[in-house]
Amino acid sequence: MKLYVEGGGGANTLRTACRSGFSEFLQKAGLKGKMPRIVACGGRGDAYDSFCTAIEAGEQAFLLVDSEAPVDNKHQTDNTDTWQPWVHLGHREGDKWAKPLGSDDDQCHLMVQCMESWFLADAQTLTSFFGQGFQSNRLPAVTTSVESISKQQVYDGLAKATANCKTKSPYGKGEHSFKILALIAPEKVMDKSPWASRFVEELKKKMGVDR
């Protein structure tokens, strides 16, 4: 099965880093030995188009993209089996994506509201990664979930927390994001992000992983 992910830009080196980061994260999440083929697609539109092409060809595929904005509560009621990521993507300005024929909601997954939201769930790893000068108190406060924190708040918090680091430059998506993704603890992310938990659990189900 192929997992089409948003990320990696247009450079081959960055796409390799994207695949590596997601691979490390998913192996630690319990998929080691039963991994999907991870396809780093660059932009979100490219990820969607590649997913649609795979579905049209009758392939088994998953899509993973940023939600870019809060998901309306009416699209995530009750248990995760009834959640509606395609409705969110179909309504969102800038996307307006239709659910491909032959696909289901359990094949579509959202990083709410961006991949960096996941990082906030594991401040300990961020502190270790950035080292001296990192100010974890400048990160947005996380209570029950990282998903209510806006994308801009996430980026602003990372910029402020890393502004005075001694051994690393301030946070940069291309320079740091996939290295951090490879290091963060999936169990912490899943605890603070219901959508991340849904993604990992559905992927395990499709890959035949005992849970």
Side-chain angles (χ1 to χ4, degrees), residues 39-157:
V39 183
C41 298
R44 60 192 289 104
D46 292 328
Y48 171 67
D49 290 343
S50 296
F51 174 80
C52 290
T53 299
I55 294 298
E56 188 175 347
E59 297 179 7
Q60 288 289 319
F62 262 35
L63 176 67
L64 179 64
V65 294
D66 294 342
S67 72
E68 296 287 344
V71 179
D72 194 298
N73 285 334
K74 65 186 178 184
H75 304 320
Q76 50 182 342
T77 58
D78 301 321
N79 63 64
T80 58
D81 291 338
T82 65
W83 288 10
Q84 300 174 302
W86 283 118
V87 176
H88 169 79
L89 295 170
H91 289 171
R92 200 190 81 83
E93 290 297 331
D95 293 328
K96 300 288 187 180
W97 296 343
K99 179 170 72 69
L101 291 175
S103 71
D104 295 308
D105 277 309
D106 62 8
Q107 293 171 276
C108 182
H109 296 273
L110 304 175
M111 294 181 280
V112 185
Q113 300 181 27
C114 56
M115 184 179 72
E116 285 84 355
S117 299
W118 292 5
F119 300 170
L120 302 183
D122 191 356
Q124 184 177 352
T125 291
L126 286 177
T127 301
S128 176
F129 179 82
F130 284 103
Q132 187 179 6
F134 181 76
Q135 297 176 286
S136 60
N137 63 330
R138 305 301 299 273
L139 296 171
V142 178
T143 53
T144 57
S145 169
V146 298
E147 297 181 355
S148 61
I149 302 169
S150 75
K151 183 175 180 178
Q152 193 58 55
Q153 284 178 300
V154 173
Y155 284 133
D156 287 349

